[in-house]
Amino acid sequence: MAERPKGWREIPIGGKILEAGNSVKYKTGDWRTFRPIHDPEKCINCMICWMMCPDSCILVGGSECPAKGKKGVSDNPKLGNFGGFDLEHCKGCGICAESCPVKAISMKEEKEIKE
Amino acid sequence: MTKKAKRAMTGAECSAEAMKQINPDVVAAYPITPQTPVMHTFSQFVADGAVETEFITVESEHSAMSACVGSAAAGARTMTATSANGLALMWEVVYIAASTRLPIVMNVVNRALSGPINIHCDHSDSMGCRDSGWIQLYSENGEEAYENTLMAVRIAEHKDVLLPVMVCQDGFITSHSVETVELLDDESAKAFVKEHEAVDPLLNVENPVTYGPLDLFDYYFEHKMQQVDAMEHSKRVIREIFDEFGTLTGKKYDFFEGEHLEDAERIILCTNSTAGTARVVVEELRAKGEKAGLVKMRVFRPFLNEEVVAKLKNAKAVAVLDRAASFGGYGGPIFMEVRSAFHEEKEKPVMINYIYGLGGREMDTTQIKTIFSELSAAANSAPGDLGSVIRYSGVRE
Amino acid sequence: MVNIRELALEKERLAPGHRMCPGCGLAIATRAVLKATKDPIVVANATGCLEVSTTIYPFTAWRVPWIHNAFENAGATISGVESAFKALKRKGKIDKDIKFIAFGGDGGTYDIGLQSLSGALERGHKFLYVCVDNEGYMNCLSLDSLIQTEGGLKKITDLRIGEKVYAFNQKTGNLVLKRCTGIFDNGIKKVFEVSTAHHSIKATSNHPFLVVQRNGKQSKNSLAWKKLEELKAGDEVVTLKRLGKGKSHRFKKMTLSKKGDYKVNKINPLALPKKTSPELMEFFGLFVGDGWVREEKAEVGFALPEKKEGRRQLIQTFKKAFGQEVTSLDRLYLYIYSINLSRFISNLGFGKGAKSKVVPSWVFTLPEEEKEAFVRGLMLSDGYNLGESNRYVSASPELLKTLRLLLQTMNYRVGKIHFQTKKRGTFVVYRKLLEDSSYGYIAFSRKKRPDIKNYLSQIKQRDYLADNQWFSTEKIMSIKFVKKEPTLDLRVEGEHNFIADGIVVHNTGIQRSSSTPYGAWTNTSQVGAAHQGKEQFRKDLTAIMAAHHIPYVAQASIHNYADLVRKAEKAISMKGPAFLNIICPCVPGWKIPSNHTVKIAQLAVDTCFWPLFEIENDKWTLNYDPGDKKKPMTEWMRTQGRFKHLFKPENTAMLETIQKHIDERWEWVKKQCGKE
């Protein structure tokens, strides 16, 4: 975001934004005071966290289902799995932790987390 | 010959005919006198299947221009028509249409803005929009309204312009009067307006575009500069289109069209139907050997100041006729700009403003003659003796 | 049946990086609706939170074609897009099947946007209109406001949720620390500047300030909250006089460089202090005025010529604070070479060049003695006295601004910042300028202590809080419109106020829409002696939509995702217009914690405040009946700050009215659904 702002000859006319979804360049992750922490032992891959996140910050994982082997969890490749958090954008609202039916997500204060 | 047989038509029917030949993809309109016959006629074309237009009968003029914005952004050739308070109601969206750079063509049948409510002709509606970023073309009669409408499509859609265009004609005076007109045949008109090529359309789902973001103070000004730039380019583009269309009709079109200007000492500058009235008087005076001239304004936005100076500079006295007032301003809209155009000139004619015809008040040859004689007096007075240069014609004291 | 794990594999249509509040209900609803179809879609969006936060130029969070036109015309705009599609499809120019969705908040749908929505429905355009209903419209402070926090003075944009800020305890009049529980980006608003003799703050027209209400007799005077637009010159606002006791700042541990480290040749292993002390602060004061750091040369330098008193002081304080002598000096400058010292100072937040120095926020937390030492050091460098007044000169506007606020917490009276340009060759504080420069200065002096013992009531006429340790009042000199700016607001628990730019201000909220519930507090339906929040019941928009007899109308909630997505899928597959009304709790507007959004939506359904039902071709179906488990309205209202006042004993009747009204509406909905 530290780019020099463009002059009127350099931007598209009519106020149009031609690069779809370029808001990913704006890192709202630094709004956070609390960070979500995922416990893979408890996670059942229901993906409710993904559904409820206002910021589309639950990443959808690859074909290997982390909760494979757990009772009732399908490892069908046509189904998405928990793939982590997009910490560049996560605002730490805590809805994922609140919505998780098995309490696999908890919120920790950023300053307590060592890099 | 690329013309149809002469017909007797009202000005509104001429506009509708232009729309028919253009065959826009979408028209969204709401009725208001005196634009109504344009839409009534066009509705019949839709019902007859004479056009393929998707006609949206919206529930207000604000929604009319809003739907036009949606449609034009989607990539469709879009048109509409309105007058007076309808134009006023859609005011915020008129600005949005221009700033979003959408090539919408709108017929404005000039009518006075309320209040009190008045359905007759004056130019307060289109003059009120002069800062909106739209190109404005004015038409002396139905035939010109037709021609301006066809040209408007090409001007608006030109890649160097991409600005909406409003084509104005006088409410009732020309819109509801029958005259003989000579229009182009369908093929020539269609070939002239060409196929619509959408720019960044919403319906191109493979390349999603965001229209109408929030600008903070760091970008708004730049977007406005782009509009300024487009208006500059439009000066050149309009002339090109005028020349091209002229080859079809055999007529000559210009921003300011002069008649009897060669040695004219007293000139009247006016627009729309008043030009016709003034012409009668100018020709009468010329027949008597008097050096009278006429300048008819066809394009108000962009305002081509060099052209207006060139046409008027050799006169001794000029009367600028405004069919709209700018309350609290120094004169009417056209007068203010003509006068300002002369600021850098060393030699300038005496300039008098006549505000006339508000709310449909008749403007006749008698008043024009009076204006010409006042111009004589003005041309011969010493600078301090002019009295007020802002005068009102046709009003009872 | 909706399978979330399947949906998760589809491409996300709303990208992250949008600027809706943490925990925003609108965002959850929007993401769910965007999954309603696999077909390509085009979206029209009315002006509102959703539109503004997702498309701040040059960024857009939308990965689908999207258009915003104005506030009231989402219905008309989507009609235009849909008609263009029909026209071009008929002409064979488009071969895809594209779906159309319009989003509007309750503002753009219930109120100003109702007409164009009604028109679009009546004409039968094939599209889905989604109302993301958060029951109000929102507001705030300018982004460059400086807030007094536990960790020092901070820009409002640097605040974090959970931090403690200073507030005014309205009962005791004391300075207290309270947790900040929310920070909200409230969009572009008209911002006004309120100026007193010594303070100025920029805020929106309905931001509340604490003012003295002069009721005639001294004893009847009181403090009251008044919105900026109600203030006028002469009103007395409460301002901060002095901060708390403060304590010495402990420095963060630094990894020290040692011999053998790459490029280190000037280690000079001096002991770095663990915390602040008056000597150290005086040293820093001198540094801010006359010092610089060149880390690459391991150099900390001072422009203190031989004659200047500051030089002597520097050598003394340096010895006291670091235990070393200054050995590198010439006629004009002093140099200390130590890689550790240069790194240490660079990281303290004083800034780099002369034009960009500031007083870092941690200095505000120090005890008075250390702050005074800091000011002493500053004065020794770039200050001078003019009679009883002290003047400090600097080329850095930020330094003057932060210094001014610091001095005001030390009970100094400080004048306005004056800036001027001096030509090269002029002498400024004993130095000749090498080129034209801009310099600013502030004047400050110790406030004379008024004799409050003997003359309290007289003094209180001038300063209502004269006997208050922390606060005083100042008359407003002017209130001017500045410009339209991005604004923020804070939510502070307990006291609901905080100190911005030295003035005590309230955190603020929303404006009512016709969707705001009866009794709710908003900024245009305030709670006071004469009125207790909104006085009208909500408009039943869903029923109005049903009266258009369109193919599909439904109510949904963000907590029941399966139901919401199913309804969105159904709605968008209709051969005509469809309408979906979704309840979206709003964190700042409803005054709820950011992680309770979903829970509170669920409670809204469990209390039957927001019944879930659908109407397909005029046939009503109830989707959820809590039956015996129906919860009372109070259980839902208790979770939100906007209803707090309804729990006062004098408002019990209102609670009964609300319950009765909701019960009646619920019975009516059940009746429509054939379930009496």
Side-chain angles (χ1 to χ4, degrees), chain C residues 293-415:
Chain C
V293 174
R294 273 200 218 126
E295 263 192 77
E296 65 282 11
K297 288 194 172 176
E299 174 184 284
V300 177
F302 293 82
L304 288 165
E306 263 170 7
K307 289 197 215 81
K308 206 167 166 194
E309 202 215 328
R311 176 184 273 232
R312 200 164 39 88
Q313 271 307 101
L314 177 74
I315 296 173
Q316 261 183 22
T317 51
F318 184 66
K319 182 148 186 202
K320 277 210 199 117
F322 296 93
Q324 264 199 14
E325 298 284 352
V326 177
T327 48
S328 278
L329 26 75
D330 60 32
R331 214 164 44 83
L332 294 171
Y333 305 108
L334 297 170
Y335 305 94
I336 301 164
Y337 289 101
S338 160
I339 184 109
N340 288 320
L341 181 67
S342 63
R343 279 172 52 208
F344 174 61
I345 295 182
S346 293
N347 288 325
L348 288 174
F350 288 112
K352 291 256 145 103
K355 291 201 172 46
S356 57
K357 289 246 173 60
V358 295
V359 177
S361 58
W362 56 266
V363 174
F364 284 78
T365 64
L366 299 175
E368 289 254 338
E369 193 194 13
E370 291 182 13
K371 282 188 198 170
E372 292 281 352
F374 179 68
V375 173
R376 248 196 333 268
L378 280 174
M379 286 302 290
L380 280 169
S381 67
D382 284 332
Y384 60 99
N385 296 317
L386 212 61
E388 283 215 7
S389 157
N390 304 303
R391 293 247 174 129
Y392 184 73
V393 181
S394 170
S396 163
E398 271 304 305
L399 175 61
L400 290 172
K401 192 170 166 193
T402 48
L403 176 61
R404 194 160 179 270
L405 285 166
L406 178 71
L407 290 167
Q408 286 174 333
T409 66
M410 295 159 64
N411 206 21
Y412 274 102
R413 178 181 297 120
V414 193

Side-chain angles (χ1 to χ4, degrees), chain A residues 14-16 20-21 39-40 43 48 50 54 59 61 63-65 67 81 96-97 102 104:
Chain A
K16 289 178 265 194
D39 183 349
C43 178
I48 289 180
W50 166 85
L59 302 170
S63 50
E64 179 61 30
C65 173
N81 302 308
C96 51
V102 297

Side-chain angles (χ1 to χ4, degrees), chain B residues 43-66:
Chain B
S43 279
Q44 190 63 57
F45 294 148
V46 172
D48 294 339
V51 289
E52 296 163 295
T53 312
E54 194 64 34
F55 186 27
I56 319 177
T57 42
V58 281
E59 75 295 338
S60 83
E61 285 91 348
H62 189 283
S63 291
M65 187 48 70
S66 302

Side-chain angles (χ1 to χ4, degrees), chain C residues 577-588:
Chain C
F579 178 83
L580 195 49
N581 205 352
I582 309 176
I583 184 166
C584 306
C586 165
V587 173

Side-chain angles (χ1 to χ4, degrees), chain C residues 347-627:
Chain C
N347 288 325
L348 288 174
F350 288 112
K352 291 256 145 103
K355 291 201 172 46
S356 57
K357 289 246 173 60
V358 295
V359 177
S361 58
W362 56 266
V363 174
F364 284 78
T365 64
L366 299 175
E368 289 254 338
E369 193 194 13
E370 291 182 13
K371 282 188 198 170
E372 292 281 352
F374 179 68
V375 173
R376 248 196 333 268
L378 280 174
M379 286 302 290
L380 280 169
S381 67
D382 284 332
Y384 60 99
N385 296 317
L386 212 61
E388 283 215 7
S389 157
N390 304 303
R391 293 247 174 129
Y392 184 73
V393 181
S394 170
S396 163
E398 271 304 305
L399 175 61
L400 290 172
K401 192 170 166 193
T402 48
L403 176 61
R404 194 160 179 270
L405 285 166
L406 178 71
L407 290 167
Q408 286 174 333
T409 66
M410 295 159 64
N411 206 21
Y412 274 102
R413 178 181 297 120
V414 193
K416 293 216 176 332
I417 301 172
H418 298 274
F419 248 88
Q420 50 190 294
T421 312
K422 294 222 166 191
K423 296 261 166 218
R424 57 177 269 220
T426 352
F427 274 93
V428 177
V429 200
Y430 316 117
R431 281 196 287 260
K432 209 180 197 179
L433 290 178
L434 296 173
E435 49 188 24
D436 292 354
S437 289
S438 263
Y439 270 82
Y441 74 87
I442 45 171
F444 59 98
S445 56
R446 264 268 120 77
K447 272 198 199 158
K448 289 198 179 60
R449 189 148 251 156
D451 189 351
I452 45 180
K453 262 205 222 109
N454 294 321
Y455 299 104
L456 182 59
S457 55
Q458 271 184 0
I459 292 165
K460 267 182 104 115
Q461 292 284 39
R462 256 187 302 119
D463 178 356
Y464 182 70
L465 293 171
D467 53 345
N468 187 308
Q469 249 193 85
W470 320 109
F471 296 94
S472 64
T473 61
E474 278 179 30
K475 280 212 165 89
I476 294 177
M477 302 203 350
S478 68
I479 303 172
K480 299 196 293 259
F481 171 70
V482 179
K483 55 182 169 176
K484 275 194 169 169
E485 283 191 346
T487 53
L488 282 186
D489 194 14
L490 300 185
R491 193 153 54 87
V492 177
E493 69 175 359
E495 292 304 329
H496 299 298
N497 66 63
F498 53 96
I499 300 164
D501 298 319
I503 302 181
V504 179
V505 290
H506 202 296
N507 57 274
T508 56
I510 2 161
Q511 288 130 14
R512 61 90 89 199
S513 78
S514 63
S515 171
T516 308
Y518 171 81
W521 172 88
T522 69
N523 237 4
T524 44
S525 59
Q526 297 264 19
V527 174
H531 299 275
Q532 295 287 306
K534 184 165 180 260
E535 292 174 347
Q536 300 85 11
F537 291 108
R538 292 180 71 237
K539 187 187 281 191
D540 191 349
L541 182 73
T542 316
I544 296 173
M545 295 294 106
H548 283 72
H549 303 296
I550 52 177
Y552 189 76
V553 174
Q555 273 195 180
S557 162
I558 55 172
H559 82 283
N560 191 339
Y561 51 85
D563 177 73
L564 170 53
V565 177
R566 176 186 67 81
K567 284 173 171 159
E569 282 176 352
K570 202 169 189 191
I572 208 156
S573 69
M574 291 288 143
K575 300 259 183 293
F579 178 83
L580 195 49
N581 205 352
I582 309 176
I583 184 166
C584 306
C586 165
V587 173
W590 297 21
K591 299 193 188 299
I592 58 177
S594 66
N595 58 345
H596 285 183
T597 313
V598 178
K599 215 160 72 168
I600 289 175
Q602 178 158 21
L603 262 176
V605 175
D606 287 334
T607 53
C608 302
F609 169 83
W610 190 269
L612 297 183
F613 59 89
E614 53 196 307
I615 310 165
E616 198 174 341
N617 294 317
D618 292 333
K619 181 163 181 344
W620 291 59
T621 308
L622 191 63
N623 301 124
Y624 173 64
D625 185 344

Side-chain angles (χ1 to χ4, degrees), chain A residues 1 11-12 15-17 19-26 28 30-34 44-48 50-57 60-61 65 73-81 86 89 91-95 98-99, chain C residues 3-10 12 14-24 27-28 31-32 35 54-64 159-163 179 185 558-561 565 594-599:
Chain A
M1 276 174 310
I11 52 180
K16 289 178 265 194
I17 303 177
E19 208 187 331
N22 66 353
S23 63
V24 292
K25 294 185 190 167
Y26 192 89
T28 50
D30 63 3
W31 292 21
R32 255 193 333 265
T33 11
F34 292 91
I44 56 169
N45 260 307
C46 63
M47 298 303 272
I48 289 180
W50 166 85
M51 189 76 207
M52 294 302 174
C53 174
D55 290 273
S56 319
C57 281
V60 182
C65 173
V73 180
S74 166
D75 60 355
N76 177 342
K78 287 214 181 78
L79 303 178
N81 302 308
D86 175 352
H89 298 103
K91 295 169 186 160
C93 70
I95 285 181
E98 192 67 26
S99 305
Chain C
N3 187 324
I4 317 180
R5 289 182 68 191
E6 255 178 43
L7 288 178
L9 286 175
E10 285 171 20
E12 186 63 54
L14 188 68
H18 61 68
R19 289 177 240 183
M20 283 181 277
C21 302
C24 174
I28 304 174
R31 283 187 65 226
K35 299 188 198 333
T54 51
T55 55
I56 300 180
Y57 195 89
F59 301 107
T60 176
W62 297 88
R63 291 191 174 129
V64 294
L159 280 180
R160 296 287 167 258
I161 297 181
E163 265 192 79
R179 239 170 57 93
D185 185 338
I558 55 172
H559 82 283
N560 191 339
Y561 51 85
V565 177
S594 66
N595 58 345
H596 285 183
T597 313
V598 178
K599 215 160 72 168

